[in-house]
Amino acid sequence: MWISSQASCEVSVNCWWNQALPADRNVSLLCQTNTWGRDSSCGYCQLFIKLGHRHQFARACASANEAFNFSIAAEHREHIFCMCSEDTSATCNVTVRGGYPPSAPSRPDCAIEEPDIEHIYCSWTKSSEPMIPTVYTLHWKDYDGNIKSRESSSESALIDREEYIKSTDVSAWVTVKNMLGSAESEMTFFNTEHIIRPDPPYDINLSSDPLEFTWDMDCEGVGPTDKSCQVQYYAHNHMTDWIVVDDCQFTYVLEDPQPFTKYSFSVRCHCGYEEKVMSNWSMVSSVITPPAAPVGHLDVWSDCALNSDKSSCNVCWKEMPLSQARGEIIDYIVMLKLRNGTEVKQVTRQRRDTGSQHPAKQSCLQSRCFPLNPGVLGVFVSANTSMGTSDPTFMLFAMRGQTTPEVKLSVIGENQMLQVSWIVHPQFSESVLEYVVQHMSVAHTPHCLCLNWVRVNRTKRSVTLTGDFRNYTAYNVSLFAVFNNHSTFLKSATAYTLEGVPPEVTQIHVKNISHSSATLVWSPIPVHESKGVILHYLVGIKETGFNKSSDRTSMQLSDLQSDQQYHVWVSAVSAAGEGARSFTTFSTNKKDSNAILLAVYVALVFLVLLFFVLMLVYRPTLCFMKIPDPINSKTFKHMNFQHTLPLLCSLSELSLKISELEIVENPDPDTPTPPSDTESDKVLINVEPQHFQVPNGLGRTNENGNRPEEEPEESNRGHISKHDRWAKEYSEMVDTDEEKDDGDNEEWWDQQCVSDYERHFLPPVEAN
């Protein structure tokens, strides 16, 4: 059991604790050292209990083999280790495990199997598994009282011919022992002349009607009444173990056998001696009983598409068990009741399974399905056998989309099983006849062939699904409630009996690439290919070490460097781990300086327009002075807007001059105040679009949209119509170049104050 190295100072320590004892604060450990030729010069070894960084002395073990025991806290039994002092080359290994003390075995059964050799073979049966190394010892005592023994690691031992005297009485028993305890069997007595095992019975006959089993047996010197036999039989598809019948002579008749069932029989006998040494079992004989009329009903279920009516459903049923069919099933009969009142009979032939089929396909053949056509109101299914037809079973249509209470469904896969549990409102379950748990693989097509379901009592809230489940395969589990005339879908979930690492993500690409960002997009892994529940996706950038999870199938990559190549990857993650990474490469765009200037220009123009709109709305009497036109700035003059902004302005607008707008408070106290809010409502603002033509500079138009041919430049500034005594509130808007060149000293209130800038950007205003 314990493997050692070739080191001369090797020590192995095996410790056991008794699992049969009730759990307590302390546990008693029984340890045994084994040195395997450890040299006497080697130093002593010690056992320690490791508690964090502290070590407590427990026991010193000598150089020779020894056994000892000690008690420690139960939580410390996994933290024992061994250390050898004074010799760093010495090794010491500790193994701690739980086990059970042995139970008493059965009394030994001894017989001479081969008359020519005459060795005595004794065997026994252990009553429990100790879980730790256990030694069995066979003891026997002859007629003189001499006791001999032979150890064995199994449940049998041999007494050689030289170790007993023929035709004498011998007693035998078995003892069993391990580190946690010992036990002894009952004693058996026999005469060495009478323990020769006889030959098995012969001339075996088996009939089916009635089910009778007969045989014959030879025993020299023994009368027929002294013989005794045991019969064992097994009913296929009905039983899991053999049934043994004692005290039979030469025949056995089985009463009330199952119809159309295969039965297997075997027999053994002894020749009447006191030792009752049984022969070996005879060869197995089998027979099939006659068929009978079927009993019971088929298990019928409906498989309807989500949110569909009865016209898109399949009627499914499980094969009738032989215990109910009681004969060979010829076909299944499906009776359809249509809306027009007629009935249609459909016959589906029984498929015969062959041993050459794949196990997965064989499991799919356990159910049958029949598609329904539109206009079906009722479905009845029955099995037709050679002895008759079973009672028809009415199929309940499964309805979806109905209002149901909240249901919590849990499906957990483990050890080739699915543990299904659910919670429903108690008031809802009062009207439920039973629950049906339906499960099918999402990979099977057509899915009807592998549809399976289990009916659950209305008082239960859990069930364990077993069958031919495959690892890394998704199964859809649905819960239904069955009522008097229909069934209702409650909830469904997807689960795996065992999850695996997801495959590589496919169809990964990058879109919406700019100089600083991009969008990574990938296709989700289909459920039937994912090998497990996809918890999330991992996205990474090789150059930056970026790594982030996502529960979507796209991710925005930001804060990237312009005009640089990036290697990005995507992987899927399940409970079993991360799958293979899919890589792709892309490059960001270069920065566009014209786009930046365009954005600045648009922002400045917007601010200027906003200012003049506020001026028209609030019409303040005192405002800021000298508002420049941003288009005349030096920055914009040096820009090639014909190339950069071809759609925003014309060539004529590029020759605009910087103008200043002066707004001052009305100096004349006799000048009337501005109109009230009611009067200002009379002001009409012409919002019709104006058309300008600028052949040589800034264009000007009159009110009709035509350019006057001989109008002086000052008149082109526009005008403001006066309303009675309403004084001017606009100041003169003059060009700075004209101020310097002309030096006009005309009073500002005698001048017209509508500038080219206003005419271009603002609509004309008329006061009534």
Side-chain angles (χ1 to χ4, degrees):
M1 293 293 294
W2 315 110
I3 301 175
S4 64
S5 65
Q6 300 299 322
S8 60
C9 292
E10 174 83 9
V11 174
S12 179
V13 182
N14 302 313
C15 299
W16 299 276
W17 53 278
N18 193 346
Q19 290 183 255
L21 298 177
D24 199 358
R25 179 179 179 85
N26 294 329
V27 62
S28 177
L29 289 178
L30 300 174
C31 298
Q32 183 178 25
T33 61
N34 207 330
T35 59
W36 286 293
R38 178 179 166 89
D39 192 91
S40 58
S41 62
C42 296
Y44 283 88
C45 299
Q46 296 177 337
L47 291 180
F48 290 87
I49 302 174
K50 186 176 182 180
L51 300 176
H53 296 288
R54 297 188 304 113
H55 301 80
Q56 298 179 356
F57 173 79
R59 172 80 180 188
C61 48
S63 298
N65 296 349
E66 67 170 336
F68 53 90
N69 67 315
F70 59 93
S71 296
I72 61 171
E75 62 270 18
H76 297 159
R77 61 191 173 206
E78 303 296 335
H79 302 88
I80 300 176
F81 73 101
C82 180
M83 180 180 296
C84 297
S85 60
E86 300 179 0
D87 189 354
T88 57
S89 63
T91 58
C92 184
N93 302 316
V94 179
T95 302
V96 182
R97 65 177 65 179
Y100 297 92
S103 300
S106 64
R107 66 174 66 190
D109 178 19
C110 299
I112 297 176
E113 302 288 349
E114 303 174 66
D116 297 338
I117 302 177
E118 296 184 339
H119 293 322
I120 299 177
Y121 293 89
C122 296
S123 61
W124 56 90
T125 303
K126 59 184 178 182
S127 57
S128 63
E129 179 59 53
M131 305 295 293
I132 62 175
T134 301
V135 177
Y136 297 92
T137 304
L138 174 65
H139 309 271
W140 68 93
K141 183 172 65 173
D142 60 18
Y143 70 99
D144 289 332
N146 299 320
I147 299 177
K148 298 181 181 180
S149 302
R150 177 162 284 114
E151 288 188 356
S152 174
S153 59
S154 61
E155 292 126 77
S156 63
L158 176 67
I159 302 176
D160 292 334
R161 175 64 185 85
E162 296 79 10
E163 294 177 317
Y164 73 90
I165 300 176
K166 193 174 182 178
S167 300
T168 60
D169 293 331
V170 177
S171 59
W173 68 97
V174 177
T175 59
V176 57
K177 183 179 181 180
N178 61 22
M179 287 294 296
L180 299 179
S182 61
E184 184 176 308
S185 72
E186 295 181 2
M187 193 172 294
T188 185
F189 302 91
F190 57 87
N191 187 289
T192 56
E193 184 69 21
H194 300 157
I195 60 173
I196 298 175
R197 194 176 300 281
D199 294 331
Y202 60 94
D203 279 348
I204 296 174
N205 293 297
L206 184 60
S207 61
S208 60
D209 192 15
L211 186 55
E212 185 178 12
F213 184 49
T214 61
W215 62 92
D216 199 359
M217 178 77 177
D218 282 339
C219 289
E220 296 180 1
V222 179
T225 58
D226 295 332
K227 300 176 183 178
S228 180
C229 300
Q230 285 182 332
V231 173
Q232 65 177 4
Y233 68 91
Y234 172 75
H236 297 256
N237 302 322
H238 294 277
M239 302 176 182
T240 56
D241 297 320
W242 290 84
I243 296 178
V244 179
V245 181
D246 295 321
D247 299 329
C248 299
Q249 294 297 323
F250 300 101
T251 183
Y252 175 74
V253 178
L254 180 62
E255 302 291 341
D256 298 327
Q258 293 288 335
F260 200 65
T261 302
K262 182 179 180 180
Y263 283 89
S264 297
F265 288 85
S266 183
V267 62
R268 67 178 182 176
C269 303
H270 66 79
C271 289
Y273 295 114
E274 182 180 357
E275 290 76 9
K276 297 182 179 180
V277 177
M278 284 284 188
S279 68
N280 293 319
W281 290 102
S282 66
M283 295 183 61
V284 176
S285 300
S286 301
V287 68
I288 298 178
T289 56
V295 295
H297 296 80
L298 286 170
D299 187 358
V300 183
W301 185 244
S302 62
D303 176 35
C304 300
L306 184 64
N307 298 327
S308 65
D309 55 10
K310 300 177 184 178
S311 62
S312 58
C313 293
N314 294 317
V315 53
C316 301
W317 62 90
K318 294 182 180 179
E319 286 187 354
M320 178 172 279
L322 288 178
S323 60
Q324 296 180 1
R326 307 204 300 178
E328 183 179 0
I329 298 177
I330 300 175
D331 50 39
Y332 292 95
I333 300 175
V334 181
M335 294 295 297
L336 304 178
K337 186 177 181 180
L338 305 182
R339 295 183 186 274
N340 56 13
T342 61
E343 293 185 355
V344 179
K345 179 180 179 181
Q346 301 285 345
V347 178
T348 60
R349 296 295 178 184
Q350 168 74 346
R351 292 174 295 192
R352 298 183 180 274
D353 301 341
T354 60
S356 61
Q357 288 175 328
H358 190 273
K361 293 184 179 180
Q362 290 182 358
S363 65
C364 290
L365 295 177
Q366 294 176 356
S367 62
R368 304 289 184 265
C369 286
F370 183 82
L372 298 181
N373 295 322
V376 176
L377 290 180
V379 180
F380 300 87
V381 186
S382 57
N384 183 29
T385 70
S386 57
M387 302 300 293
T389 304
S390 66
D391 295 334
T393 303
F394 175 69
M395 185 196 74
L396 298 176
F397 284 99
M399 298 184 179
R400 299 174 182 257
Q402 292 184 328
T403 302
T404 57
E406 182 180 359
V407 178
K408 294 182 179 179
L409 179 64
S410 172
V411 183
I412 301 175
E414 56 181 8
N415 299 328
Q416 298 298 311
M417 297 184 298
L418 292 176
Q419 304 287 345
V420 185
S421 60
W422 60 92
I423 300 175
V424 295
H425 196 278
Q427 186 176 1
F428 173 79
S429 60
E430 291 178 357
S431 57
V432 175
L433 298 181
E434 63 179 357
Y435 292 97
V436 172
V437 179
Q438 172 185 298
H439 63 92
M440 53 176 287
S441 170
V442 299
H444 282 315
T445 55
H447 71 281
C448 179
L449 293 179
C450 282
L451 179 69
N452 205 340
W453 61 92
V454 176
R455 299 184 182 272
V456 185
N457 189 283
R458 61 187 298 270
T459 60
K460 296 183 178 180
R461 297 295 182 271
S462 64
V463 66
T464 300
L465 303 179
T466 59
D468 187 25
F469 292 114
R470 293 175 294 169
N471 295 335
Y472 319 128
T473 301
Y475 291 91
N476 183 270
V477 180
S478 301
L479 177 65
F480 294 83
V482 178
F483 299 93
N484 288 325
N485 56 357
H486 72 280
S487 60
T488 300
F489 169 77
L490 298 180
K491 204 166 188 179
S492 64
T494 302
Y496 297 78
T497 56
L498 180 64
E499 295 192 45
V501 177
E504 186 177 358
V505 179
T506 59
Q507 298 182 8
I508 173 175
H509 64 278
V510 182
K511 66 178 184 178
N512 301 333
I513 302 175
S514 68
H515 68 279
S516 61
S517 64
T519 302
L520 182 64
V521 181
W522 61 92
S523 297
I525 301 176
V527 177
H528 64 277
E529 298 178 0
S530 60
K531 298 184 179 180
V533 178
I534 302 299
L535 302 177
H536 57 268
Y537 292 93
L538 285 179
V539 179
I541 302 178
K542 181 179 179 181
E543 285 74 13
T544 63
F546 171 83
N547 191 328
K548 190 176 181 180
S549 63
S550 173
D551 55 355
R552 301 180 180 180
T553 56
S554 64
M555 178 174 286
Q556 181 72 18
L557 307 176
S558 56
D559 299 331
L560 304 178
Q561 300 294 326
S562 62
D563 194 20
Q564 182 173 339
Q565 188 181 67
Y566 289 95
H567 295 80
V568 294
W569 54 265
V570 179
S571 63
V573 179
S574 69
E578 179 185 356
R581 295 179 176 181
S582 299
F583 287 85
T584 188
T585 304
F586 74 98
S587 299
T588 54
N589 299 334
K590 296 181 179 180
K591 284 187 177 180
D592 190 358
S593 58
N594 292 334
I596 299 176
L597 296 176
L598 173 62
V600 173
Y601 172 74
V602 172
L604 290 177
V605 170
F606 173 78
L607 291 176
V608 172
L609 290 176
L610 177 63
F611 174 79
F612 279 102
V613 170
L614 294 176
M615 289 286 295
L616 288 177
V617 174
Y618 295 102
R619 307 185 64 85
T621 58
L622 182 62
C623 295
F624 297 101
M625 302 175 63
K626 295 186 178 180
I627 301 175
D629 188 347
I631 198 142
N632 293 299
S633 65
K634 294 182 179 181
T635 302
F636 286 94
K637 285 184 177 182
H638 288 82
M639 290 177 55
N640 185 3
F641 281 100
Q642 181 63 20
H643 171 72
T644 308
L645 308 173
L647 300 179
L648 294 181
C649 59
S650 63
L651 290 173
S652 60
E653 292 177 320
L654 300 180
S655 61
L656 291 177
K657 298 180 180 180
I658 298 178
S659 303
E660 296 180 356
L661 176 65
E662 297 184 28
I663 303 174
V664 297
E665 186 177 4
N666 186 1
D668 189 359
D670 295 333
T671 303
T673 59
S676 63
D677 294 340
T678 58
E679 294 175 344
S680 62
D681 293 341
K682 301 178 181 180
V683 179
L684 300 179
I685 301 177
N686 184 8
V687 295
E688 292 295 324
Q690 304 297 320
H691 303 280
F692 301 95
Q693 297 180 353
V694 188
N696 296 314
L698 185 62
R700 296 169 175 81
T701 62
N702 56 19
E703 294 180 356
N704 297 324
N706 300 322
R707 177 178 176 87
E709 297 181 357
E710 298 180 358
E711 186 177 1
E713 182 177 350
E714 286 77 12
S715 64
N716 291 335
R717 299 180 182 273
H719 66 279
I720 298 178
S721 300
K722 298 182 180 179
H723 180 265
D724 296 338
R725 295 179 303 160
W726 188 10
K728 303 175 185 177
E729 290 200 3
Y730 281 117
S731 66
E732 177 189 11
M733 184 175 181
V734 299
D735 293 333
T736 53
D737 293 341
E738 294 175 359
E739 253 183 350
K740 294 178 181 180
D741 297 339
D742 299 337
D744 192 0
N745 295 325
E746 184 182 358
E747 294 296 332
W748 63 271
W749 52 82
D750 293 331
Q751 298 178 3
Q752 301 209 4
C753 58
V754 179
S755 67
D756 295 333
Y757 188 95
E758 291 173 301
R759 180 180 299 278
H760 180 72
F761 286 99
L762 301 178
V765 179
E766 293 186 2
N768 295 332

